[in-house]
């Protein structure tokens, strides 16, 4: 079986590196999984020392930014602290949201490592302020594409806020009651194939860090980068678009 590359490079200069990572990689050391594969260690073979300025979940694919020197690290970290960085995620959920105008703002305090499975939980007493803007891109049969813009950066924030709103991301091993892979035979009418040989279109968390906007630490230029979907999620996107006419990339551009 061909090995999937850990990352592709979106942008790099002397101060920053912007990568598109595969699902299944930590972006830095994690006390709960000290031996898990890490993106920073993989990318440092190409770029040298990298400094993490933000995190995305191990199971999430998509865009990640690293600083290449202490000065850039301090600058971009401050941008995240001051919440001037804009982040956009795409995900596929089970069900059909009926939000007014297709938009929902979720403001629920979150406490990380809140249960025996190390999940983030809503806790109004001990949780930290957490805000996510959700927009329905479009529904496809039993699924819906959602655009999520977290205004804070809590662990598993999008996954928890969606679950609390009644919509779980597909193939989510922690927050979804339905973790089974998505297969073409389940979404295409009159599918003709061998169920024993069929490979799933998507068998990992259907959450992708799609776009990020921040200020370059040296030039002061406002930069926006987007990360193409990984091969598995893109194959699912194309099939759903072909069958239902809803493409999150086209709809996102229109919005």
């Amino acid at each position: 079986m061909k090995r999937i590359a850990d990352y592709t490079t979106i942008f790099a200069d002397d101060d920053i590196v912007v990568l598109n990572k595969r699902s299944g990689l930590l972006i830095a050391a994690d006390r709960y999984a000290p031996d898990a594969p890490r993106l920073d260690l993989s990318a440092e073979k190409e770029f040298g020392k990298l400094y993490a300025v933000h995190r995305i979940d191990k199971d999430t694919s998509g865009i990640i930014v690293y600083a290449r020197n202490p000065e850039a690290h301090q600058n971009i970290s401050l941008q995240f602290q001051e919440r001037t960085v804009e982040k956009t995620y795409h995900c596929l959920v089970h069900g059909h949201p009926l939000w007014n105008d297709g938009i929902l703002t979720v403001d629920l305090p979150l406490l990380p490592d809140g249960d025996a499975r190390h999940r983030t939980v809503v806790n109004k007493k001990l949780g930290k302020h957490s805000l996510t803007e959700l927009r329905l891109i479009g529904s496809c049969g039993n699924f819906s594409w959602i655009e999520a813009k977290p205004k804070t950066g809590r662990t598993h924030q999008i996954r928890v806020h969606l679950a609390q709103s009644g919509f779980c991301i597909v193939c989510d091993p922690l927050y979804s009651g339905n973790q089974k892979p998505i297969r073409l035979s389940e979404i295409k009418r009159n599918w003709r194939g061998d169920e024993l040989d069929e490979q799933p279109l998507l068998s990992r968390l259907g959450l992708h860090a799609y776009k990020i906007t921040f200020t370059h630490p040296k030039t002061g230029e406002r930069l926006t980068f987007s990360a193409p979907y990984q091969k598995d999620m893109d194959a699912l996107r194309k099939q759903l678009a072909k069958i239902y006419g809803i493409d999150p990339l086209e709809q996102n551009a229109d919005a």
Side-chain angles (χ1 to χ4, degrees):
M1 181 180 294
K2 185 178 180 180
R3 183 179 182 275
I4 301 174
D6 286 344
Y7 66 90
T8 56
T9 303
I10 298 173
F11 177 84
D13 64 10
D14 292 339
D15 298 288
I16 60 174
V17 172
V18 184
L19 305 177
N20 184 4
K21 88 171 186 77
R22 67 171 175 85
S23 174
L25 284 178
L26 293 170
I27 67 95
D30 188 306
R31 58 176 174 163
Y32 296 118
D35 299 322
R38 285 170 48 185
L39 175 63
D40 58 341
L41 297 182
S42 178
E44 282 179 350
K45 297 174 184 177
E46 178 178 358
F47 297 104
K49 176 64 177 177
L50 296 177
Y51 301 81
V53 296
H54 69 123
R55 292 175 181 263
I56 62 175
D57 299 346
K58 174 176 70 71
D59 296 323
T60 302
S61 61
I63 205 161
I64 190 78
V65 179
Y66 289 103
R68 300 189 70 179
N69 54 65
E71 294 76 20
H73 177 246
Q74 182 179 19
N75 182 289
I76 303 176
S77 295
L78 184 61
Q79 292 183 50
F80 275 95
Q81 292 176 23
E82 296 179 344
R83 298 176 184 170
T84 60
V85 178
E86 301 172 28
K87 299 166 288 181
T88 301
Y89 291 72
H90 286 180
C91 58
L92 189 69
V93 303
H94 295 281
H96 300 157
L98 299 176
W99 308 324
N100 292 332
D101 301 320
I103 297 175
L104 178 69
T105 298
V106 184
D107 186 357
L108 291 172
L110 299 179
L111 177 67
D113 195 17
D115 65 11
R117 297 181 65 189
H118 304 298
R119 292 183 297 187
T120 296
V121 299
V122 173
N123 188 309
K124 295 184 179 180
K125 183 178 180 180
L126 301 175
K128 292 184 177 180
H129 169 65
S130 306
L131 183 68
T132 307
E133 292 182 0
L134 303 171
R135 180 177 69 88
L136 172 63
I137 298 174
S139 295
C140 307
N142 296 323
F143 309 103
S144 295
W145 287 108
I146 300 293
E147 176 189 85
K149 292 188 175 183
K151 302 304 180 179
T152 51
R154 312 304 178 200
T155 301
H156 297 171
Q157 177 174 317
I158 295 172
R159 298 161 75 176
V160 179
H161 276 175
L162 273 168
Q164 288 293 314
S165 303
F167 300 96
C168 293
I169 299 175
V170 299
C171 308
D172 189 338
L174 279 178
Y175 299 96
S176 174
N178 186 350
Q179 302 174 25
K180 69 177 184 177
I182 299 178
R183 303 178 186 275
L184 183 59
S185 58
E186 298 171 353
I187 62 176
K188 185 176 181 180
R189 294 181 180 178
N190 302 319
W191 179 81
R192 296 182 178 87
D194 188 338
E195 293 184 359
L196 296 178
D197 292 333
E198 184 186 11
Q199 297 298 312
L201 292 170
L202 188 72
S203 56
R204 52 89 176 177
L205 179 70
L207 178 61
H208 182 73
Y210 177 63
K211 186 166 61 175
I212 194 167
T213 299
F214 62 98
T215 300
H216 192 282
K218 182 172 289 185
T219 68
E221 181 183 1
R222 195 68 174 166
L223 303 173
T224 297
F225 299 102
S226 59
Y229 287 11
Q230 299 291 300
K231 187 176 180 180
D232 53 359
M233 195 165 174
D234 203 47
L236 177 57
R237 174 190 69 84
K238 291 177 180 177
Q239 288 294 341
L240 291 174
K242 183 178 179 180
I243 297 169
Y244 296 102
I246 299 294
D247 188 328
L249 300 186
E250 292 183 2
Q251 263 80 16
N252 183 71
D254 293 341

